[in-house]
């Protein structure tokens, strides 16, 4: 009706000779409702609550599809006078557009599997996808097929992973997942107990335990009960050594295992003990070896194997390494700038403690990290 109204001014003007009549004929007048042919019937399609309207002859252009054939009558609701489909209305919009324009488009934001299922339900083959979308559809199809193949292979690998054929695989599984067996769980808690004992012993041996007779200096518990702490440290080191050797034996890739962070921590935690056994009676070297005992504190990092929270913290720090590096770099720049300003500001002051720029670093670091 609107198209006819648009032509009326030109028709009237032509009738009185103002403008010539257009070469194209006027659109056909609207057909009364009672004289329309059956194939011009307007159909109402309800897809999961969203209603679409179209003409019957629009759908019947593709009689091999569900909507274009008589099969759609199975979905007709006599009460509401509409066709109801419990399908995805967002994808159906593209399917109905195919009936209207003859071009099937692929929405990139939709799931490929759901899209194929909707096409199969309505009897439309994917080969009719337009050239503008076919490349994207084919790429997504290939990626989906590769992903499904990878998932299938990974599932097979996971299934094969739990079929352990030798002692090494069973041991490695027990170490990595101690909750799989009772023996692995017992070993897990035993090693955790000795880690705690080792860390506590390393702390308690420095506590003063009274004075020696005739001397003013107090004696530490490590010196007073030297044999007790040595026996306890020996027991802990034996457990740690056995754990490391067993892990090394069971590791699928021993070179990769020896180069891992946790393996290095294990070696550093037990190495001072064995070095102490070798140079115990050498007075010239034993003094320098005392500083190596500080590496025993690395045993506390062995708790990361027994704590999922610590492992998550480690992964978080690893993923944020670049951001943390930028933070340290910014802090270093600020320290150098303010330390330089303080040195030159106090350079001519008598008795100043800022004798050089590095000497002013400490004051700058403490000020920035405590007072902001």
């Amino acid at each position: 009706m609107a198209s006819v109204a648009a032509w009326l001014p030109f028709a009237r003007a032509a009738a009185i000779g103002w403008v010539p009549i257009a070469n194209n004929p006027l659109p056909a007048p609207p057909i009364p409702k009672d004289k329309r042919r059956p194939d011009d019937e307007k159909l109402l399609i309800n897809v999961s609550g969203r209603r679409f309207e179209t003409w019957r002859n629009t759908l019947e252009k593709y009689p091999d599809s569900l909507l274009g054939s008589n099969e759609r009558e199975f979905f007709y609701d006599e009460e509401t006078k509409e066709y109801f489909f419990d399908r995805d209305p967002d994808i159906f919009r593209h399917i109905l557009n195919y009936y209207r324009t003859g071009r099937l488009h692929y929405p990139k934001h939709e799931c490929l599997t759901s899209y194929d299922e909707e096409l199969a339900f309505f009897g439309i083959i994917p080969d009719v996808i337009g050239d503008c979308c076919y490349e994207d559809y084919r790429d997504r199809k290939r990626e989906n097929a590769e992903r499904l193949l990878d998932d299938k292979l990974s599932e097979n690998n996971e299934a094969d992973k739990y079929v352990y054929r030798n002692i090494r695989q069973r041991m490695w599984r027990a170490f990595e997942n101690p909750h799989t067996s009772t023996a692995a769980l017992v070993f897990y808690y035993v090693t955790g107990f000795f880690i705690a004992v080792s860390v506590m012993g390393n702390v308690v041996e420095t506590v003063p335990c009274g004075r020696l007779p005739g001397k003013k200096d107090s004696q530490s518990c490590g010196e007073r009960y030297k044999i007790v702490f040595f026996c306890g440290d020996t027991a802990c080191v034996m457990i740690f050594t056995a754990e490391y050797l067993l892990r090394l034996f069971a590791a699928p890739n021993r070179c990769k295992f020896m180069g891992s962070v946790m393996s290095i921590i294990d070696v550093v935690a037990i190495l001072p003990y064995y070095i102490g056994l070798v140079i115990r009676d050498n007075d010239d070297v034993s003094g320098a070896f005392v500083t190596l005992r500080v590496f025993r504190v690395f045993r506390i990092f062995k708790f990361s194997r027994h704590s999922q929270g610590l492992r998550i913290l480690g992964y978080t720090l690893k993923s944020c390494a670049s951001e943390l590096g930028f933070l340290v770099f910014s802090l270093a720049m600020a320290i150098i700038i303010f330390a330089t300003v303080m040195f030159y500001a106090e350079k001519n002051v008598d008795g100043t403690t800022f004798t050089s720029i590095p000497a002013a670093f400490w004051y700058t670091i403490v000020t920035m990290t405590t007072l902001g």
Side-chain angles (χ1 to χ4, degrees), residues 61-213:
K61 288 190 298 184
Y62 302 97
D64 295 333
S65 62
L66 174 63
L67 297 179
S69 65
N70 294 331
E71 294 180 4
R72 67 171 180 266
E73 301 301 329
F74 290 102
F75 302 90
Y76 187 74
D77 189 349
E78 294 289 346
E79 296 181 359
T80 59
K81 305 299 181 181
E82 62 186 13
Y83 295 92
F84 178 78
F85 296 93
D86 190 14
R87 308 300 297 183
D88 190 342
D90 294 328
I91 299 180
F92 181 78
R93 178 171 61 88
H94 300 279
I95 294 176
L96 184 59
N97 189 60
Y98 165 68
Y99 285 94
R100 292 168 176 166
T101 63
R103 297 184 182 89
L104 181 63
H105 298 282
Y106 168 64
K108 298 180 181 179
H109 61 279
E110 294 290 349
C111 174
L112 178 64
T113 304
S114 299
Y115 183 74
D116 287 339
E117 290 177 354
E118 296 298 317
L119 292 183
F121 178 81
F122 288 101
I124 301 174
I125 58 176
D127 296 340
V128 299
I129 295 178
D131 296 337
C132 57
C133 301
Y134 188 73
E135 291 294 332
D136 294 332
Y137 175 80
R138 187 181 63 180
D139 293 341
R140 286 288 299 275
K141 194 77 173 179
R142 184 179 64 253
E143 293 174 0
N144 190 59
E146 293 175 354
R147 182 182 59 81
L148 293 177
L149 181 60
D150 293 340
D151 292 343
K152 185 176 180 180
L153 293 176
S154 63
E155 289 177 0
N156 294 334
N157 293 334
E158 289 293 331
D160 296 338
K161 184 179 178 181
Y162 291 100
V163 181
Y164 295 96
R165 299 179 180 178
N166 54 54
I167 187 63
R168 285 183 57 191
Q169 292 175 327
R170 290 195 297 269
M171 289 175 59
W172 185 253
R173 181 191 179 192
F175 285 132
E176 293 300 314
N177 190 7
H179 297 280
T180 56
S181 64
T182 304
L185 194 62
V186 170
F187 186 80
Y188 173 82
Y189 285 115
V190 167
T191 53
F193 171 76
F194 277 96
I195 291 172
V197 170
S198 176
V199 174
M200 292 300 298
N202 190 33
V203 174
V204 173
E205 69 177 5
T206 61
V207 177
C209 289
R211 297 179 181 179
L212 292 174

Side-chain angles (χ1 to χ4, degrees), residues 327-349:
L327 177 62
V328 173
F329 176 73
S330 303
L331 183 63
M333 289 182 57
I335 290 172
I336 294 174
I337 293 173
F338 291 117
T340 303
V341 172
M342 291 175 60
F343 168 72
Y344 284 106
E346 300 282 339
K347 185 176 182 180
N348 298 323
V349 177

